[in-house]
Amino acid sequence: MSNLSVQIALDFVECTKEQKERFLLHLEDLNWKPLNPNKLWTVEFDNSKNKENKLKNIEQEIINAKQISKLYELDYMIIADEEIYFNQLT
């Protein structure tokens, strides 16, 4: 078992200040840590066994935050170890 550090880069597309605030509040509620709140967040997992499952959970929480905040579109990138995952939610 090893620790897993994941960074999430966000690019908000055409959103209001309120939408962005609701989105970021959801991330804070998950205890994700902002490196730059509008752009870059980090998540740490201790003794992480299943990296792929953790990444799916992160992606699901990004989808949940988008729905809660009613964002129209969000581009994001998940960086884990030496792998990068890009996605666009519309």
Side-chain angles (χ1 to χ4, degrees), residues 66-77:
K66 180 188 176 286
Q67 291 171 341
I68 289 167
S69 62
K70 298 180 179 165
L71 287 177
Y72 176 70
E73 185 176 340
L74 175 72
D75 299 336
Y76 67 92
M77 177 173 50

Side-chain angles (χ1 to χ4, degrees), residues 26-83:
H26 182 76
L27 301 186
E28 288 175 6
D29 289 345
L30 296 169
N31 293 318
W32 294 11
K33 305 295 179 212
L35 299 176
N36 174 342
N38 290 318
K39 295 288 181 185
L40 189 61
W41 289 71
T42 187
V43 182
E44 302 286 335
F45 298 101
D46 294 330
N47 300 320
S48 180
K49 288 183 185 178
N50 189 340
K51 175 181 153 186
E52 188 172 316
N53 191 40
K54 298 291 185 191
L55 295 176
K56 285 181 183 178
N57 290 342
I58 288 171
E59 189 160 32
Q60 185 58 52
E61 289 301 341
I62 292 170
I63 292 167
N64 292 345
K66 180 188 176 286
Q67 291 171 341
I68 289 167
S69 62
K70 298 180 179 165
L71 287 177
Y72 176 70
E73 185 176 340
L74 175 72
D75 299 336
Y76 67 92
M77 177 173 50
I78 298 173
I79 306 160
D81 295 332
E82 296 183 14
E83 298 178 48

